[in-house]
Amino acid sequence: MYFLTEEEKQKLVRGLLPKFRKNQVVEELRGWNWNQPPLEPIYQKSLALYEIAGKYCPTGRDLYLRKVEGVKTKWNQAMIRGIIFHNTLTNLLVTAKKLIYLHGVEGLARIMADLKEPDFGALESWQKRIDDDFYLQLKEKVELIWEFEYNRLVFRLQDLLAKQPYIGVDSLASLTIPITVEQKLDGSFLGLSQYLSADAFNFSEPMILDLKFGQPRDFHKLTITGYALVMEAIYSFPVSIGAIIYPEFKQGRLAIKKEFQVIDDELRQWFIEERDEKMRMVNEEIDPGVADSCYQSCPYYQECH
């Protein structure tokens, strides 16, 4: 899901990047300027990035209840589904890298054989906490995710080995899977948690990748924006492109939509405003009140009402 097709690469190279070069980000909104306004954090208590970017509750009272009132999160089906699918994909890519290093350039057949059977570990860790019907639904989808990514990995391996007959094992691993999954980041420069975890970072086409198993929302752009700012703050190189990936299960198959986004001044300013507003709410213990319209699966609905 994280790999770009040739068409998507062309869209980046000939579409988004030329437009971005004409409208560069102003210097004060680059993450490496974290020590001065507007990026410099105002409050001491840090927040996780998802707490800033997740605007499912219109007033942000879910954050107030969790951080100020100490209400514990109750896992709903959407949350469980998301974490299982994320972990399944992570396990697959990490296992593939291990197998490439283990079996080497000459071990394609063994890599394919060892990787083919799905790993249900992420699903089985939840088995005792969910009902049987939901478990079986998730198992079917985990198998679809695994088969889809397995086929893409095998193609990438075969294609690289055909083009580069003298390739070494380290190059084979990095070119086949140029992705770091669950990229750990310290967001403390920007007043965020020091234990952030981005879904993935693509080093061959430097961009933040965020996976969403659900309906597209405009505020999903805040997630990739926040991670881009953190990457810039830590490493002092520009991260100007992000991609939000929306997998969807349709009639026994997997459909994937990618939304590429230039992380421009407007998005950066939006993220900073959300950060400052929510940090103020938590640090000054301001109850924002119950929203006029609540989303159906809100895990805080009972406590909030």
Side-chain angles (χ1 to χ4, degrees), residues 133-169:
D133 287 342
F134 188 43
Y135 176 85
L136 292 174
Q137 291 173 24
L138 293 177
K139 185 177 181 181
E140 180 182 352
K141 291 178 172 62
V142 165
E143 289 174 335
L144 283 173
I145 291 171
W146 194 276
E147 182 181 11
F148 177 86
E149 286 298 315
Y150 170 81
N151 289 330
R152 297 196 73 185
L153 281 168
V154 169
F155 170 79
R156 291 174 68 87
L157 273 168
Q158 292 174 327
D159 191 50
L160 273 167
L161 289 169
K163 291 177 180 178
Q164 302 290 343
Y166 307 112
I167 196 169
V169 65

Side-chain angles (χ1 to χ4, degrees), residues 63-82:
L63 176 61
Y64 170 82
L65 291 172
R66 182 167 63 253
K67 302 292 285 189
V68 179
E69 298 292 338
V71 176
K72 300 295 183 182
T73 303
K74 296 177 181 177
W75 289 85
N76 58 36
Q77 286 195 348
M79 296 163 69
I80 295 170
R81 184 186 301 113

Side-chain angles (χ1 to χ4, degrees), residues 20 23-30 38 225 229 240 261-273:
F20 170 73
N23 299 283
Q24 287 286 340
V25 171
V26 298
E27 187 67 13
E28 66 180 16
L29 295 179
R30 285 292 190 185
T225 303
L229 285 165
S240 304
Q261 184 67 50
V262 172
I263 302 170
D264 56 16
D265 292 355
E266 184 179 355
L267 279 178
R268 292 164 184 265
Q269 192 63 51
W270 185 16
F271 180 85
I272 294 165
E273 290 170 359

Side-chain angles (χ1 to χ4, degrees), residues 41-262:
I42 302 171
Y43 297 94
Q44 294 298 314
K45 290 182 181 178
S46 63
L47 294 177
L49 197 146
Y50 77 88
E51 292 175 327
I52 294 169
K55 289 177 60 63
Y56 293 96
C57 176
T59 66
R61 197 162 193 259
D62 53 351
L63 176 61
Y64 170 82
L65 291 172
R66 182 167 63 253
K67 302 292 285 189
V68 179
E69 298 292 338
V71 176
K72 300 295 183 182
T73 303
K74 296 177 181 177
W75 289 85
N76 58 36
Q77 286 195 348
M79 296 163 69
I80 295 170
R81 184 186 301 113
I83 195 170
I84 289 172
F85 294 163
H86 272 87
N87 289 345
T88 296
L89 183 57
T90 296
N91 291 345
L92 173 58
L93 295 179
V94 171
T95 301
K97 289 181 183 180
K98 289 179 180 177
L99 290 172
I100 292 172
Y101 282 112
L102 177 64
H103 298 310
V105 175
E106 304 299 327
L108 177 60
R110 295 183 66 184
I111 293 169
M112 292 169 59
D114 290 351
L115 193 63
K116 188 168 181 59
E117 292 301 316
D119 179 356
F120 293 108
L123 173 60
E124 289 170 354
S125 66
W126 284 89
Q127 187 170 7
K128 294 181 180 179
R129 290 178 279 178
I130 59 179
D131 62 54
D132 291 342
D133 287 342
F134 188 43
Y135 176 85
L136 292 174
Q137 291 173 24
L138 293 177
K139 185 177 181 181
E140 180 182 352
K141 291 178 172 62
V142 165
E143 289 174 335
L144 283 173
I145 291 171
W146 194 276
E147 182 181 11
F148 177 86
E149 286 298 315
Y150 170 81
N151 289 330
R152 297 196 73 185
L153 281 168
V154 169
F155 170 79
R156 291 174 68 87
L157 273 168
Q158 292 174 327
D159 191 50
L160 273 167
L161 289 169
K163 291 177 180 178
Q164 302 290 343
Y166 307 112
I167 196 169
V169 65
D170 193 47
S171 182
L172 180 63
S174 63
L175 290 175
T176 302
I177 311 172
I179 306 290
T180 299
V181 289
E182 301 300 325
Q183 175 77 31
K184 301 304 179 185
L185 300 168
D186 183 349
S188 55
F189 286 144
L190 296 171
L192 307 177
S193 168
Q194 60 180 310
Y195 306 114
L196 300 180
S197 184
D199 284 350
F201 187 79
N202 187 330
F203 284 93
S204 63
E205 294 101 5
M207 70 174 73
I208 295 290
L209 301 165
D210 194 55
L211 194 62
K212 300 291 187 187
F213 288 93
Q215 294 299 314
R217 305 287 190 109
D218 190 52
F219 59 78
H220 288 165
K221 299 172 187 176
L222 289 173
T223 302
I224 56 174
T225 303
Y227 283 127
L229 285 165
V230 171
M231 291 283 286
E232 291 177 349
I234 296 172
Y235 300 114
S236 295
F237 67 77
V239 181
S240 304
I241 302 290
I244 309 169
I245 304 160
Y246 294 102
E248 186 178 358
F249 300 94
K250 285 186 174 182
Q251 300 175 346
R253 62 184 178 87
L254 193 60
I256 297 174
K257 176 184 177 183
K258 292 191 183 83
E259 289 190 3
F260 295 96
Q261 184 67 50
V262 172

